Amino acid sequence: MSEEFNSDEYINMELLRFTTAGSVDDGKSTLIGRLLYDSKAIFEDQYEAVKVASEKRGEEYVNLALLTDGLRAEREQGITIDVAYRYFSTPRRKFIIADTPGHIQYTRNMVTGASTANLALILVDARKGILEQTRRHAFIASLLKIPHVVFCINKMDLVDYSEEVYNKIIEDFKSFSTKLEVTDIRFVPISALKGDNIVDRSQNMNWYQGPTLLYLLETIHIASDFDLVNCRFPVQSVIRPFSDEFHDYRGYAGRVSGGIFKPGDTVMALPSGFTTTIKQIDTFNGSIEEAYPPMSVTLLLQDEIDISRGDMIVRENNVPQVDQDIDVMMVWMNEKPLKLGGKYSIRHTTKELRCLIKDIKYKVDINTLHRNLEDKNIGLNEIARVSIRTTQPLFFDKYKLNRITGSIILIDEGTNETLGAGMII
Amino acid sequence: MTNYSLNHLQELEAESIFVMREVAAQFENPGLLFSGGKDSIVMVHIARKAFWPARIPFPLVHIDTGHNFEETLIFRDEMVGKLGAKLIVGSVQEAIDSGLATEETGFSASRNMLQTISLLSTIEKYKFDALLGGARRDEEKARAKERFFSHRDEFGQWDPKNQRPELWNLFNGKKKIGEHFRVFPLSNWTELDVWMYIRRENIELPSLYFTHERQVFKRDGMLLAWAPFMMLKDTEQLETRTVRCRTIGDMTCTGVVLSEANSIDDIVAEVAASRETERGNRADDKRSESAMEDRKKEGYF
C-alpha cells in the first residue's frame, strides 16, 4: 500500500455507506473479514488480538467475527447484539460498513444501520436459497429506501459453482421482489471463504460476466442518491457573533437536505411564509456559489425575517407538505409497546414537538409483507402503519422522496428513550 | 457540468459540523474535551468552522493527569490564547491530594484510570450536560459500538447493552437532571482521514508528533518516553532514540515509535503503510481484552 498510496487520490475519494445483514451462518463475518483483510484495513495487532482470543476460546480458526463483536457480552455469547461500524478504503472509495445482526429480534438494529446507508449487502447461502430471513432483509432495505441492494449468493464453492443453482435463486427472488420498492438490485455469485468474485474474478465461474463485489462497491453510481431538485434547508441555529467586526451578522446554520441553493434565489421561510432572497452562502473558508446536500453551511438572507431553529428555508414555488396529520410506517424499538392514544415527543429534522397516536391502521408481517388489520398490538421489532397528529404543523416530504425530511423518531416523555422510527407515507 | 457531490473528507467534515451544531442547540452547558492530541486539535478546528464568525460557544476542558508531555501543555496554552477560548482544567493531582483518587503504585502505575474520577468531578463541578470528545469508532472495538450522542447516567456510566437507537441524523439528546451526554463528532473518521484532513487544512500540531530525539526505554514490547516520575525496572535501560508520538496521552501509558517523519506528508505515508493500529502503543488498552469497555462503562472518555 505504501508505494501505491497517493495523497491526492485519497483526498478525492467518495464515501459509500453500506449495511450488511445476515447471521454468522451466512458467512457474513467471513465476507467482512475478507473485505477488511484484502483492503489492508485489519492491522497486525488487531489480527493478533483476535487470534489470541480465538485460541483462548478453543476455536479452530481465527474467528474474524471477534473483530466486530466489540462488547464483552457479544464475545461471551458469540452473537452480535448491536450495530458495529467498520471502515476500509480502496484507492477509489472510502467505505463505512454498518454491520448488523440479522435475527428477527434485532430488526431495530438492522433498521438503524439501514437508515444512513447508500447500499445494502444481503447474503444468501447458495445451498439454502431465499429464506425467510432473506426476505426480511430485502423488505427492510425497501422500507428504508436504500437506493442500491446487492445480493451476494455466497458459498458457491459448496454447490460446485453451479450456474443453475444461481439462476434458480434469482428466479425465486424475482417472484418475491415485485412487492418491493428498490430501484437498483444486483446479484453476485461469490465464495467469501475462497475469495471467488470478491476482489478478483473467479476462475470457477466463467459463466458469470458481471463485476466482482469489490468492483461493484467501488463503482456503483451514488452521486444522485440525494435529491438535488427540491430545496430544503432545516435551520439548526442562528449565528450571531455580537462582535465589532460582525456587528449585524445574522446567519442561519444548517445542513442542506435537498436541492441546490444559490445566492440571489428567492426563498420562503416556513412556517412564517415570508419570502426574501439569499444574500450570501457562508462557510469558514469563504462564501460559496452553490450549496447542495449534504453540505453544512450558513445562509444569509436579504431581509431580516423571524427564523429560528426548527424552521425551514425552501424555494418559493416548491414547498414541502405542511400538515399536523401524518401517516408513517413505524418501526417499534422498545419493550414498552406502542400505545394507541399515547402522547410522545416527536423529532423531525431540527424540530421537536409533541404528538398523539391517532390510529394504528395495520401491522405488517415482516416476513410475508402481509397486512394484518386486526392485530393492533405493536411491540419491539414490529412494524405498523400509524396515523399521528402533532401539536404544530410539520414541513415534510414523503420518505420515498427525501429520506431526511421524510423521517421522524418518537421519544418517551418519561424515560427519554428513542422508541420508534417512522417513515412518512 | 458541475458534479454535485462531496469527496469523503468534505462529507465527514459536514457531518461533524452538523453534530457540533446540534450539541450547541440541544444542550445548555456543553464543553469540548481537549487533550492536546491530534483528534482534539481537529475537533477545535471543526468547532471554529461550525460557528464562524461567532466564537466557539463552549469552553475547552482538559483533564490534566500531571504527567503530561510538557510540549502538550505549551501547545494547549498557546492555542487557547489564539482562539480567545475559555479553558477549564480538571486536575488529577488535585483529586489525589483531596483524597478523591488513590495513586496507583508499582512499575506500571498510571494515572490513566484516575482521569475518570477527575473527569466526573469536573462535570459535576461545572454542571456540564454534554461533553464533546474526539474518539473515533475505528480506534478500538468498544468504541466501534458508540453512538454519536452517547448517554451517561447520573454516575457518568455508559450502558453499552442498552443504548438508544440512532437513526438518520435525528439525534436524541434528552436526559434527566444530573445525567449527561458524551458526543463524538469524529465517529466516522479513521486515523488516516484525520491525518489527511490535518494536511488539507494545514493544522498546526505539537512538535511531539514529529521526529525528535528522546530518552526512552522498552517495556512490554513498547517504547516509552522517560520522565522523572517513571520507575525503571532493573532490566530496563534508558537509551536515546529518534522517535515520534503516534498518539498523545498521559506519558505513563503512551508509547512512542521509531520514526524519522518530519512533515505531515511523511506521517501520512507512514500511517498509510502502518500495519499496527495507533492504539497498539497504548498500555492502557493492553490491561485486558475489554479494558476500554470497562473504563468507558465507568465514565472514561
Side-chain angles (χ1 to χ4, degrees):
Chain A
M1 191 168 170
S2 58
E3 309 90 64
E4 300 156 28
F5 186 76
N6 178 321
S7 295
D8 297 320
E9 263 176 24
Y10 188 88
I11 285 272
N12 284 315
M13 288 193 307
E14 272 180 323
L15 184 62
L16 175 79
R17 299 170 198 251
F18 69 95
T19 173
T20 56
S23 63
V24 183
D25 307 338
D26 299 327
K28 185 187 61 154
S29 300
T30 316
L31 177 64
I32 291 177
R34 182 163 279 281
L35 285 171
L36 296 178
Y37 197 77
D38 287 354
S39 63
K40 300 192 170 61
I42 298 178
F43 294 98
E44 271 164 24
D45 53 327
Q46 283 176 316
Y47 188 79
E48 203 50 42
V50 168
K51 199 173 138 193
V52 169
S54 305
E55 279 164 12
K56 251 193 223 165
R57 296 154 57 103
E59 291 179 17
E60 232 176 290
Y61 313 95
V62 176
N63 183 351
L64 290 175
L66 297 176
L67 268 175
T68 44
D69 293 340
L71 301 177
R72 184 201 295 262
E74 292 178 318
R75 290 194 298 274
E76 279 169 5
Q77 298 171 45
I79 52 162
T80 312
I81 295 171
D82 203 342
V83 189
Y85 294 89
R86 291 281 145 199
Y87 304 83
F88 73 100
S89 59
T90 68
R92 284 170 192 253
R93 269 186 184 159
K94 168 176 166 144
F95 299 95
I96 302 178
I97 312 176
D99 182 20
T100 65
H103 301 288
I104 193 158
Q105 64 265 41
Y106 298 115
T107 296
R108 74 170 192 174
N109 293 330
M110 266 186 276
V111 169
T112 302
S115 72
T116 50
N118 308 92
L119 181 146
L121 214 65
I122 297 177
L123 275 131
V124 179
D125 186 329
R127 296 169 304 174
K128 297 176 186 160
I130 305 289
L131 301 175
E132 193 175 271
Q133 177 169 286
T134 321
R135 285 197 285 270
R136 187 162 68 236
H137 298 163
F139 173 58
I140 287 173
S142 159
L143 187 69
L144 272 290
K145 296 289 176 291
I146 301 181
H148 315 277
V149 177
V150 178
F151 286 88
C152 296
I153 317 300
N154 191 24
K155 304 194 184 179
M156 288 299 292
D157 52 318
L158 299 182
V159 295
D160 298 325
Y161 298 104
S162 157
E163 185 178 7
E164 267 166 61
V165 171
Y166 174 75
N167 286 338
K168 169 89 174 41
I169 291 172
I170 293 180
E171 279 312 305
D172 284 354
F173 180 76
K174 282 190 174 153
S175 62
F176 160 78
S177 68
T178 49
K179 292 182 187 171
L180 301 175
E181 291 179 48
V182 181
T183 41
D184 182 19
I185 299 181
R186 318 282 181 107
F187 299 90
V188 188
I190 64 165
S191 165
L193 191 67
K194 302 277 170 69
D196 293 282
N197 285 337
I198 306 292
V199 177
D200 299 312
R201 291 195 63 83
S202 170
Q203 298 307 309
N204 301 311
M205 291 178 273
N206 288 325
W207 47 265
Y208 173 73
Q209 301 299 319
T212 63
L213 176 62
L214 189 66
Y215 185 81
L216 198 60
L217 293 174
E218 283 182 317
T219 55
I220 210 158
H221 183 69
I222 52 170
S224 55
D225 288 357
F226 285 109
D227 173 8
L228 294 176
V229 177
N230 306 293
C231 292
R232 305 286 183 257
F233 188 83
V235 175
Q236 266 188 297
S237 61
V238 184
I239 294 191
R240 301 225 47 196
F242 297 109
S243 62
D244 292 341
E245 194 187 345
F246 295 96
H247 195 75
D248 294 321
Y249 192 98
R250 179 195 285 263
Y252 302 102
R255 202 172 184 194
V256 182
S257 302
I260 301 161
F261 288 86
K262 297 179 183 132
D265 283 351
T266 304
V267 290
M268 178 189 276
L270 294 172
S272 73
F274 288 126
T275 58
T276 178
T277 52
I278 297 178
K279 186 164 78 181
Q280 195 171 311
I281 303 174
D282 268 0
T283 71
F284 176 82
N285 300 84
S287 299
I288 54 174
E289 288 308 308
E290 288 177 313
Y292 48 87
M295 289 167 77
S296 285
V297 297
T298 302
L299 299 186
L300 278 75
L301 304 178
Q302 205 63 51
D303 302 290
E304 226 171 82
I305 52 181
D306 177 21
I307 299 178
S308 54
R309 175 173 169 84
D311 294 356
M312 193 184 282
I313 297 172
V314 301
R315 290 297 296 269
E316 184 188 24
N317 48 9
N318 177 348
V319 294
Q321 286 176 259
V322 180
D323 209 327
Q324 273 177 271
D325 291 292
I326 54 170
D327 261 28
V328 302
M329 287 302 276
M330 178 77 74
V331 181
W332 202 248
M333 305 190 150
N334 201 277
E335 275 88 11
K336 216 197 269 179
L338 172 67
K339 208 168 147 226
L340 182 61
K343 293 194 178 77
Y344 300 98
S345 279
I346 180 170
R347 197 176 276 275
H348 171 255
T349 64
T350 53
K351 209 175 178 67
E352 200 190 307
L353 298 168
R354 296 185 74 215
C355 73
L356 171 81
I357 305 298
K358 267 181 26 189
D359 191 14
I360 297 171
K361 291 193 166 151
Y362 55 81
K363 178 151 120 182
V364 181
D365 183 318
I366 189 169
N367 295 316
T368 61
L369 305 192
H370 178 72
R371 292 175 180 182
N372 187 334
L373 299 164
E374 313 303 320
D375 186 0
K376 303 282 171 86
N377 297 309
I378 312 301
L380 177 63
N381 293 314
E382 294 188 313
I383 298 174
R385 179 167 174 155
V386 175
S387 300
I388 294 175
R389 183 168 177 84
T390 55
T391 49
Q392 285 167 40
L394 295 180
F395 331 119
F396 61 92
D397 296 289
K398 287 182 171 34
Y399 183 79
K400 68 175 171 192
L401 298 178
N402 189 320
R403 293 166 85 187
I404 304 165
T405 56
S407 52
I408 58 124
I409 55 170
L410 292 191
I411 298 167
D412 189 299
E413 294 186 312
T415 65
N416 295 323
E417 287 173 311
T418 303
L419 301 173
M423 286 136 282
I424 302 174
I425 298 168
Chain B
M1 200 190 103
T2 322
N3 178 17
Y4 292 107
S5 67
L6 300 183
N7 67 42
H8 82 286
L9 282 180
Q10 292 169 327
E11 189 172 336
L12 290 173
E13 184 196 58
E15 177 176 87
S16 303
I17 288 176
F18 177 82
V19 172
M20 286 197 187
R21 286 170 168 176
E22 278 303 291
V23 170
Q26 290 196 32
F27 297 94
E28 277 173 32
N29 194 22
L32 191 157
L33 287 166
F34 184 80
S35 69
K38 65 180 189 313
D39 300 306
S40 63
I41 293 168
V42 164
M43 287 278 288
V44 171
H45 184 81
I46 294 173
R48 267 180 85 198
K49 289 191 157 194
F51 303 103
W52 183 89
R55 284 189 180 178
I56 300 174
F58 29 74
L60 309 189
V61 182
H62 184 214
I63 303 304
D64 183 0
T65 60
H67 288 170
N68 275 297
F69 289 95
E70 203 191 333
E71 292 89 334
T72 311
L73 300 180
I74 295 171
F75 183 90
R76 175 195 77 186
D77 294 340
E78 278 179 13
M79 200 186 74
V80 167
K82 269 189 238 166
L83 283 173
K86 189 179 169 201
L87 175 73
I88 288 170
V89 178
S91 158
V92 173
Q93 188 62 53
E94 261 174 41
I96 293 169
D97 294 345
S98 70
L100 259 177
T102 311
E103 181 102 65
E104 287 184 2
T105 53
F107 288 106
S108 52
S110 167
R111 289 181 169 181
N112 181 279
M113 302 282 279
L114 306 186
Q115 288 184 97
T116 304
I117 297 168
S118 297
L119 174 60
L120 294 177
S121 68
T122 305
I123 290 170
E124 232 168 86
K125 183 172 166 192
Y126 293 93
K127 299 199 163 30
F128 287 119
D129 55 0
L131 284 174
L132 289 147
R136 310 185 318 265
R137 287 173 180 155
D138 81 319
E139 273 181 80
E140 207 281 335
K141 54 190 181 300
R143 285 195 166 157
K145 300 278 172 177
E146 268 287 11
R147 303 290 190 256
F148 275 92
F149 273 45
S150 186
H151 180 256
R152 296 290 184 275
D153 69 12
E154 58 186 317
F155 297 100
Q157 298 182 108
W158 182 50
D159 183 2
K161 281 170 77 177
N162 195 21
Q163 299 193 77
R164 296 178 184 177
E166 204 163 75
L167 296 112
W168 299 290
N169 53 3
L170 295 170
F171 297 111
N172 174 4
K174 287 171 92 81
K175 64 190 176 323
K176 293 178 187 153
I177 293 167
E179 300 175 343
H180 73 277
F181 272 80
R182 303 286 173 83
V183 182
F184 305 106
L186 304 184
S187 287
N188 281 329
W189 298 53
T190 62
E191 184 191 13
L192 194 53
D193 294 332
V194 169
W195 281 111
M196 290 305 293
Y197 186 74
I198 290 169
R199 177 181 182 269
R200 191 188 88 176
E201 300 283 306
N202 232 335
I203 298 172
E204 221 181 304
L205 290 182
S207 57
L208 290 165
Y209 279 112
F210 302 96
T211 185
H212 58 280
E213 297 216 324
R214 182 176 286 278
Q215 283 204 299
V216 298
F217 62 97
K218 214 176 245 175
R219 179 179 288 171
D220 300 333
M222 285 183 292
L223 281 180
L224 292 177
W226 182 78
F229 49 78
M230 299 198 34
M231 283 199 291
L232 290 187
K233 296 178 191 167
D234 291 343
T235 50
E236 293 168 342
Q237 279 176 0
L238 284 185
E239 46 187 331
T240 303
R241 304 298 293 266
T242 304
V243 297
R244 68 175 201 87
C245 291
R246 207 171 152 190
T247 65
I248 293 182
D250 181 276
M251 283 186 83
T252 56
C253 66
T254 309
V256 294
V257 290
L258 295 175
S259 169
E260 312 237 317
N262 203 14
S263 67
I264 300 288
D265 276 330
D266 291 349
I267 292 174
V268 166
E270 196 181 285
V271 170
S274 174
R275 302 304 308 132
E276 288 225 326
T277 59
E278 55 184 341
R279 293 199 79 91
N281 272 308
R282 292 293 286 254
D284 45 337
D285 290 352
K286 294 203 166 173
R287 290 191 168 188
S288 85
E289 204 195 335
S290 53
M292 177 65 89
E293 182 181 342
D294 296 343
R295 279 181 297 159
K296 280 180 70 70
K297 279 181 185 164
E298 286 163 16
Y300 185 71
F301 301 108

